[in-house]
Amino acid sequence: MSAKSNAGRIGVWGASGSGKSSYVKKAIKGRSRMVVFDPLAEYGPLCNVTVHKLDDVRKAMLNNWAGFRIAYVPPAGREPLALSGLSKLLMKAQEPFKESGKGQGVTLIVEEMNLSFPVHGGAEKAPGFAEVCSRGRHYGIEVYGLSQRIAEVSTRFRGNCTETVVLRQQGPRDLKAAEDAIGAGRGVVAGLVNLEYLHERAGKITKGQIKH
């Protein structure tokens, strides 16, 4: 990520077992400054530290400012509030980037986004993350957002995505939502199997496959 802030907002949508987490884990392999909002505690092996409190995220960032990789497991049932607090912390930490346009960016991965930023009231329940969706790139904050169902995630995030990755979908409503999200014709998404995906950026759609 350059200091000119190419920080994107990437939506990754797919049914359980389709490969969305595998896609993101490969995509972030080279990231040196990264925080994972990790409700299911899946990212520990990819991170230097796993924490359960927001203040411990702050301490871990300060302990290794140039190269932190943190998995933050939020309190169950309080995901929106926890994501909002984490987002505010990252924006505060990245204020020098916003002011100068210089320095390092940071990557935020939000797993199970339907829990923390739902379609009904997501922006009100997690106002800090709503700000990241709208203005995060100015702070050098790159966001990967993942969910099984596109329609269960707030349009504040979906409408600000710079890239969309669609994997196998579960049913007719999800297929239509996926096709609409990337601007694909009917039936295009239906042919995807596990670990296959369609990637859309700036109106261009490409097909790929995740290889382990």
Side-chain angles (χ1 to χ4, degrees), residues 115-139:
L115 297 177
S116 56
F117 205 55
V119 65
H120 297 300
E124 292 74 29
K125 295 174 181 177
F129 185 69
E131 282 293 294
V132 167
C133 292
S134 299
R135 302 191 297 124
R137 69 181 185 87
H138 300 295
Y139 291 79

Side-chain angles (χ1 to χ4, degrees), residues 9 117 122-124 127 129-134 153-161:
R9 293 162 302 283
F117 205 55
E124 292 74 29
F129 185 69
E131 282 293 294
V132 167
C133 292
S134 299
V153 174
S154 172
T155 55
R156 177 69 71 90
F157 178 76
R158 289 188 280 146
N160 280 289
C161 281

Side-chain angles (χ1 to χ4, degrees), residues 17-34:
S18 62
K20 58 185 180 295
S21 293
S22 295
Y23 177 92
V24 172
K25 288 174 182 178
K26 283 185 172 291
I28 63 173
K29 190 173 182 180
R31 302 296 192 272
S32 59
R33 302 174 82 242
M34 178 183 85

Side-chain angles (χ1 to χ4, degrees), residues 164-182:
T164 300
V165 179
V166 168
L167 296 100
R168 180 181 61 80
Q169 301 295 305
Q170 188 63 41
R173 292 181 64 185
D174 297 322
L175 285 169
K176 184 179 185 304
E179 290 164 349
D180 290 344
I182 62 175

Side-chain angles (χ1 to χ4, degrees), residues 3-20:
K4 291 290 185 181
S5 195
N6 293 321
R9 293 162 302 283
I10 303 98
V12 184
W13 320 111
S16 178
S18 62
K20 58 185 180 295

